[in-house]
Amino acid sequence: MNRRTLVTVLLVLGVVALSAVPLLLDGGSSEFAGADSQATEAIEETGYTPWFESVFSPSSGEVESGLFALQAAIGGAVLGYVVGRLRGRRAAAAPTPAPPENA
Amino acid sequence: MHIAEGFLPPLHAVGWTVAAAPFVVHGARAVVKEVRERPENTLLLGAAGAFTFVLSAIKLPSVTGSSSHPTGTGAGAVLFRPPVMAVLGTVVLLFQALLLAHGGLTTLGANAFAFAVVGPWAGYAAFRLTRSLGGGLLPGVFVALLVADLATYLTTSVQLALAFPDAESGLTGALVKFLGVFAVTQVPLAIGEGLLGVLLFRVLTTNARPELERLGLLRPTVEPIQEEVR
């Protein structure tokens, strides 16, 4: 494994560990509720009632997580497309540097 | 950092919308200008938008026993300067407000101010500072994403404290309360986001070198004398 690959692997492991370690250390005592909803609860404790409802709410937790997955998928697809094109371009232009683009 | 729909008093909702609007309008002009004058950067612009789209959709567990999501706005701020992110970030928030009931239309202004204005600007400032102190591109990117993430949640805490000061301890007490919800939870996520940004820019420095040179992020390499002229 060359040095560059090693650094990549370590970076990925670092990202995974930052989420995995809290889950492992916790041992199932926390619910890992969203910070956003905790803030909402804290506001409701002050006696405040929201004055406007969402125009559309996902009808169940499943639908909601599906839509979140959709958001991540769209982003991931676009990001993958861009990186793929850039890589392909570099591979194609390997013998000569990228052509000057004077629009 | 998403303040839920209807969870800001009308006066605050209007105030933050008015505060965020000029940044978004100015940013829209910046996006149009970027695409028109440098169409070759459109791919990277898409990547910047996609990056924040993915990261803000993923809720991750944190050390506090609650979970939150990164923002990903620092990457685009480094690439295209913060105004562009005011638009891309607001588009993400609008998507989430309309389809996911996450955030809201009445709180869009406040959320945009935290996520799409303060975050990118703070990240960009941290990036410039790191670079001027002699830090490399990748350390700069790490700091930019980390700071953009934390600054966003800090802003949300301030916004909520301003709207809901504590009955006894006032503004400070409320700020401590909301920071307690957001700040500590966010630290590991912000570090993770910084690492992801480094991964992204490692890919870009290899594969999008001409773009990064044109954007002034990498020094142009002296072209090697070509062995074969076509």
Side-chain angles (χ1 to χ4, degrees):
Chain A
M1 199 190 289
N2 65 29
R3 190 165 170 271
R4 190 175 161 80
T5 320
L6 183 70
V7 172
T8 308
V9 170
L10 287 177
L11 283 170
V12 173
L13 282 178
V15 173
V16 173
L18 281 166
S19 294
V21 168
L23 281 177
L24 293 174
L25 287 182
D26 177 68
S29 58
S30 308
E31 290 176 356
F32 290 102
D36 285 342
S37 52
Q38 288 182 341
T40 309
E41 280 165 25
I43 295 167
E44 276 173 333
E45 274 169 22
T46 66
Y48 178 84
T49 41
W51 55 281
F52 198 79
E53 292 288 317
S54 292
V55 279
F56 164 81
S57 290
S59 34
S60 73
E62 283 78 8
V63 177
E64 188 186 337
S65 63
L67 286 167
F68 266 109
L70 181 71
Q71 188 194 330
I74 294 172
V78 173
L79 202 57
Y81 171 78
V82 172
V83 171
R85 274 201 59 167
L86 292 172
R87 267 192 82 98
R89 183 190 66 180
R90 187 168 71 103
T96 46
E101 285 161 283
N102 298 322
Chain B
M1 46 67 58
H2 293 75
I3 302 175
E5 183 75 284
F7 271 84
L8 273 185
L11 196 66
H12 286 256
V14 172
W16 288 113
T17 306
V18 171
F23 288 95
V24 178
V25 172
H26 173 237
R29 286 211 195 112
V31 171
V32 171
K33 195 171 159 224
E34 188 71 40
V35 172
R36 202 173 280 163
E37 290 178 6
R38 293 188 280 190
E40 68 276 9
N41 282 347
T42 313
L43 264 183
L44 273 192
L45 199 62
F51 190 71
T52 179
F53 218 63
V54 180
L55 287 199
S56 62
I58 301 174
K59 294 176 189 168
L60 298 164
S62 181
V63 281
T64 47
S66 55
S67 53
S68 186
H69 61 84
T71 63
T73 52
V78 167
L79 282 171
F80 294 105
R81 302 186 20 86
V84 168
M85 289 318 291
V87 176
L88 298 183
T90 305
V91 170
V92 174
L93 291 173
L94 199 59
F95 178 93
Q96 294 180 324
L98 290 176
L99 284 179
L100 302 168
H102 199 58
L105 295 176
T106 59
T107 51
L108 184 65
N111 289 334
F113 196 82
F115 181 84
V117 177
V118 174
W121 275 107
Y124 183 69
F127 174 76
R128 292 297 297 265
L129 185 70
T130 310
R131 292 309 304 265
S132 70
L133 292 174
L137 176 67
L138 293 181
V141 166
F142 177 81
V143 174
L145 269 78
L146 181 122
V147 169
D149 186 322
L150 290 177
T152 301
Y153 282 82
L154 206 67
T155 309
T156 303
S157 304
V158 172
Q159 288 170 329
L160 288 177
L162 284 172
F164 303 101
D166 197 78
E168 289 148 29
S169 50
L171 196 67
T172 325
L175 186 59
V176 169
K177 179 174 70 180
F178 289 115
L179 281 174
V181 171
F182 288 119
V184 184
T185 306
Q186 206 59 32
V187 171
L189 269 72
I191 297 171
E193 173 166 359
L195 295 180
L196 278 175
V198 172
L199 277 167
L200 175 74
F201 273 77
R202 273 159 57 89
V203 171
L204 292 183
T205 46
T206 326
N207 295 297
R209 198 162 185 108
E211 280 84 358
L212 294 192
E213 285 172 4
R214 273 196 298 267
L215 289 165
L217 291 171
L218 286 178
R219 231 178 267 136
T221 41
V222 183
E223 289 192 6
I225 300 157
Q226 284 170 257
E227 295 156 19
E228 182 190 355
V229 180
R230 290 192 187 177

